[in-house]
Amino acid sequence: VYCLFQALRQISQRTISTASRRLVNRVSENQKLFQEDNGLPVHLKGGAKDSLLYRTTAGLTLFGTMYAVYYLLVSSMPKKPN
């Protein structure tokens, strides 16, 4: 049992150490991108992906609000007698 535990520990440490070597530190690149004065709000400085995410979120929010208002109006109307 101890041998199995030791083997698993070595494998996990090896995996963690090799995974950390593949990471590239791009913090300074991102800082330059987000601190650049180009007139864009910070939530859109990431490019097309951020713009798509923002528009999708805004659209879903608008749709959800209209849907909720519609059902509030429908619910507030008296039911017709059969």
Side-chain angles (χ1 to χ4, degrees):
V1 176
Y2 177 73
C3 184
L4 177 65
F5 177 70
Q6 189 175 7
L8 288 174
R9 184 173 171 204
Q10 285 178 344
I11 291 171
S12 67
Q13 286 177 344
R14 196 175 309 138
T15 305
I16 291 170
S17 66
T18 57
S20 64
R21 279 187 238 139
R22 283 184 256 148
L23 296 176
V24 178
N25 188 0
R26 289 184 270 157
V27 173
S28 62
E29 294 172 18
N30 288 334
Q31 283 177 339
K32 289 176 188 174
L33 173 71
F34 285 98
Q35 290 177 356
E36 182 180 330
D37 187 18
N38 55 5
L40 289 174
V42 72
H43 60 274
L44 294 177
K45 285 191 176 189
K49 191 167 107 176
D50 281 351
S51 179
L52 179 66
L53 182 63
Y54 174 75
R55 289 172 193 251
T56 303
T57 304
L60 286 171
T61 303
L62 183 63
F63 174 76
T65 302
M66 291 180 355
Y67 189 73
V69 169
Y70 170 75
Y71 269 95
L72 280 171
L73 289 172
V74 167
S75 299
S76 69
M77 300 293 172
K79 291 188 176 189
K80 295 179 184 177
N82 289 337

